[in-house]
Amino acid sequence: MADAELGILILWVFLFVYSIAGSIDFGAGFWSMVFGTKRDTKAADIANRFLSPSWKVTNVFLVLFVVAFVGFFPFATSTLGALLVLPAGLALALLVLRSAFLVYAYSTHQYSGLLPVVSGVTGLLIPGLLVSALPLTLGGFLGTTPEGESSLLFGKLLTSPTLYAHLGFGLSTELFLSALFLADYSREGDDERSFRAYRNAAIALGPTTLAMGILTSVTFVPEAQWIARGIAEQWGWFVLSVASFAIGYSALWWKDPRGRIGFARIAVLAIVAQYAFASIGYGRAHMPYLVYPILTFEEGFTSPQMFNALLVGYAVGIGVLVPIFVWFWRLFLKDKTYLRQGGGES
């Protein structure tokens, strides 16, 4: 495997983990806001119980991805900076706002009333903004100033159907995946009423998510037809993705070993596999371009010496972080005492 391909693989792992963890994290904030107004379920408590420790860990993967990208592809930062200044800047501002409220709301009651609203609204907007960066790399939205510098064509972007299709896909994906995870989280804490609330939400969102995924592929601008042809060539990965969706969605009607309707754990794992297969197919279709048609991965890649140094540094860092993540999982996601705080049948 070439150095650039290995760098892409490392970036994909960080990005995929962040996209899954971030979807669940941001979605939990939205569901906390929605179910916080309902007195007949403790679904909001379930979301808050997950959200309280998880948002700190989720941001770790975002930092890892950004640092790895700048380290592995330093010659691509200026071009991507011109493209992503709008969505990345807005997403970063909202992320700072959300993090500030999450910190201070748990430290003082002064902001506790605003926390669900801020967390819920930003939890909707941030994933949509991040996903909207995808069509920017496909061509058609980058112009050149009289000085020869790259610039984003804001007008064309804001009037393009593909932008809003990607926004819709990001929102539906976030809510679907987070509803599935929180259903499993509720069942792990033996809260069947909350499980049913999240299961119903997932059932409603599943077909919407699949439809939005298809819509993004048919609304590409003419300059992006190269990616449509690449996706067609990678059809096997997308067949596996659709098959995984069928398994995960149908698992919401299976019976678990205790005879309860809805096998949430299988549903979560299958849907995560769905996104893994789809992202692999999309990534392979995107090769070799980082930004079409002006920048390839090879052109943006760092020197072999710097790559080897970064590789050693990341290997050591991951070796330190993995035991911490395992400890976090066992403490907050598997510990029955923590899961049942304020939970149980209601």
Side-chain angles (χ1 to χ4, degrees), residues 272-285:
V272 169
Q274 172 204 351
Y275 290 118
F277 290 135
S279 64
I280 292 172
Y282 183 87
R284 290 173 66 90

Side-chain angles (χ1 to χ4, degrees), residues 61 66 81 95 104 110 117 131 146 164 176 192 200 285 316 322 329:
F61 290 99
V66 173
L95 188 60
Y104 290 112
Q110 182 179 355
V117 177
V131 172
Y164 301 101
F176 178 48
E192 283 298 307
N200 291 338
V316 174
V322 166
W329 178 271

Side-chain angles (χ1 to χ4, degrees), residues 49-108:
R49 201 174 306 148
F50 168 78
L51 190 61
S52 177
S54 69
W55 67 273
K56 309 174 190 70
V57 176
T58 301
N59 289 337
V60 170
F61 290 99
L62 177 60
V63 173
L64 286 172
F65 172 76
V66 173
V67 173
F69 182 85
V70 174
F72 290 147
F73 298 94
F75 305 113
T77 53
S78 60
T79 301
L80 281 177
L83 274 176
L84 304 181
V85 60
L86 178 62
L90 290 175
L92 181 60
L94 292 174
L95 188 60
V96 171
L97 176 65
R98 181 177 187 263
S99 299
F101 268 87
L102 285 169
V103 170
Y104 290 112
Y106 288 110
S107 303
T108 174

Side-chain angles (χ1 to χ4, degrees), residues 218-232:
V218 298
T219 57
F220 290 135
V221 294
E223 295 89 342
Q225 291 309 304
W226 67 275
I227 191 69
R229 293 189 293 270
I231 289 174

Side-chain angles (χ1 to χ4, degrees), residues 131-144:
V131 172
S132 69
L134 291 177
L136 299 181
T137 66
L138 303 180
F141 299 109
L142 192 64
T144 304

Side-chain angles (χ1 to χ4, degrees), residues 213-284:
I214 296 173
L215 185 62
T216 58
S217 64
V218 298
T219 57
F220 290 135
V221 294
E223 295 89 342
Q225 291 309 304
W226 67 275
I227 191 69
R229 293 189 293 270
I231 289 174
E233 293 173 0
Q234 300 293 330
W235 62 270
W237 293 106
F238 295 97
V239 169
L240 289 173
S241 179
V242 173
S244 297
F245 171 82
I247 293 171
Y249 192 66
S250 65
L252 293 172
W253 284 269
W254 298 359
K255 288 187 177 180
D256 69 2
R258 293 170 59 178
R260 299 172 298 187
I261 191 71
F263 208 137
R265 183 66 51 82
I266 295 296
V268 171
L269 294 175
I271 296 303
V272 169
Q274 172 204 351
Y275 290 118
F277 290 135
S279 64
I280 292 172
Y282 183 87
R284 290 173 66 90

Side-chain angles (χ1 to χ4, degrees), residues 294-333:
I294 61 175
L295 182 64
T296 66
F297 285 97
E298 289 286 350
E299 292 170 341
F301 196 61
T302 188
S303 65
Q305 295 79 8
M306 179 60 73
F307 172 73
N308 292 331
L310 290 170
L311 205 59
V312 172
Y314 269 98
V316 174
I318 294 300
V320 173
L321 289 174
V322 166
I324 297 175
F325 293 145
V326 172
W327 171 80
F328 172 85
W329 178 271
R330 297 185 64 179
L331 183 61
F332 294 110
L333 302 180

